[in-house]
Amino acid sequence: MYSDITKYFEISPRVKEGLVNSEPVVALESSIISHGMPYPTNLEVAKMAEEVVTENGAIPATIGVWKGKIVVGMDEQQRYEISNKPGDETTVAMKASVKGIPFAVIQKRNAGFTIAAILRAASIAGIRIMATGGIGGVSRGGEFTMDVSADLEELGHTSVGVVAAGCKSILDIGRTKEVLETKDVPVIGLGCDSFPAFFTPSSQYRIDYRIDSYDEAAEFLRTKWELGFQGAAILCNPVPAQYAMDQEIIDEAIRKATEMAKENAVGGEHNTPFLLDRVSELTGGASLRTNIEVIRNNAKTAALIAKSYWNHR
Ligand code: PSU
Ligand code: MN
């Protein structure tokens, strides 16, 4: 039976124009708005990321569900309505991974998208590059709890280049890297030799391949997909040294936050937002400031890689 999936989508005029003309478009993650940062910083950062993408010659496309439509290229009002602003019920938004999208659609809700959901929606729309902060992965203790982010599964089969500062050490970075290895997801170090730990530029874990130019990063993606090798590639972009956190401060905050999650029996999709909130509180907002710079840096890099990708096609 023929089904028209476009009825589920609302693609903004600027993004549609860009896609039709093979201009570089960069997908932007939106669970960072709904669940990753507190109001109003969440909206300021979302706007900043859009501006940085634009300034660097690409078209931003924040993706989420707004009133039951999968919106590719959310405008300022739509972003406001997924901002979970305390006390404003018009801004209530779910956290949606791929599994939650149909529910948000049928109930005409608002939803911020995880990386997994962004990958899927971006891929359907023909967007090949996304920017985010850090990827989801294997939680600490995940070898027992089986708390492993659906991001890893999606990265294994959906063809989008993901610019990320590695992952936060709220996760088990070593096991996250091992699962990526199993899923055959290439982990590229953009000018770096180790897997970045989000708040700090490096960790003890290796990346797969180091690449030192945006052109070569774009060429890697083109080559992978032209060969028919489906799936994402992670383009690791370490936090600039001047914005990195003190290792001991962040380690201690994450240790405490993990303990609190255990005490409160937080599980499932609530675990990651819980940990992010606690870490921000425990560092007196220092982690949030670093997070903002990570987003700025990743938005710029994603735009430059997207430009190179589309220029050579
Ligand atoms: N890690 C972060 N910041 C985030 C997330 C992860 O440092 O905002 C969000 C992303 O949207 C990611 C999601 O895709 O959490 C993963 O959630 P879970 O662990 O429930 O799969
Ligand atoms: Mn999880």
Side-chain angles (χ1 to χ4, degrees), residues 3 7 46 80 92 107 112 118 126 130 135 140 143 145 150 157 164 170 181 192 215 218 259 291 301 307 310:
S3 71
K7 69 185 177 204
Y80 175 74
V92 171
Q107 294 215 344
I118 298 282
M130 77 167 286
I135 62 164
R140 293 188 181 194
E143 68 273 36
T145 62
H157 54 69
I170 57 170
E181 180 83 18
C192 64
D215 284 342
E259 221 166 67
N291 207 334
T301 297
K307 248 178 20 190
W310 289 106

Side-chain angles (χ1 to χ4, degrees), residues 29-32 35-37 95 97 113-116 132-137 139 147-151 167-168 170-171 198 268-273 276 291:
E29 191 221 318
S30 59
S31 103
I32 195 173
H35 292 79
M37 288 184 180
K95 168 180 168 181
S97 191
F113 276 13
T114 66
I115 293 167
T132 184
I135 62 164
S139 293
D147 182 356
V148 178
S149 176
D151 288 356
C167 68
K168 290 180 180 154
I170 57 170
L171 301 177
F198 191 99
E269 67 180 18
H270 305 297
N271 199 33
T272 300
L276 296 176
N291 207 334

Side-chain angles (χ1 to χ4, degrees), residues 163-166 187-196 200-203 205-218 234-241 297-298 301 305:
V163 178
V187 178
I188 308 288
L190 295 174
C192 64
D193 297 301
S194 80
F195 197 94
T200 52
S202 63
S203 73
Y205 302 100
R206 310 291 306 167
I207 44 93
D208 293 319
Y209 316 109
R210 175 178 172 142
I211 284 180
D212 286 306
S213 77
Y214 302 127
D215 284 342
E216 208 183 354
I234 301 176
L235 304 157
C236 291
N237 197 32
V239 62
N297 194 41
N298 291 353
T301 297
I305 294 174

Side-chain angles (χ1 to χ4, degrees), residues 39-81:
Y39 179 90
T41 308
N42 56 352
L43 290 180
E44 291 158 12
V45 171
K47 187 171 186 190
M48 173 271 281
E50 295 236 340
E51 287 167 358
V52 169
V53 168
T54 306
E55 282 158 17
N56 287 282
I59 301 163
T62 301
I63 306 177
V65 175
W66 175 75
K67 296 186 175 168
K69 286 276 185 198
I70 304 168
V71 179
V72 181
M74 298 182 101
D75 64 23
E76 198 154 0
Q77 179 63 26
Q78 290 167 329
R79 295 198 302 269
Y80 175 74
E81 293 183 28

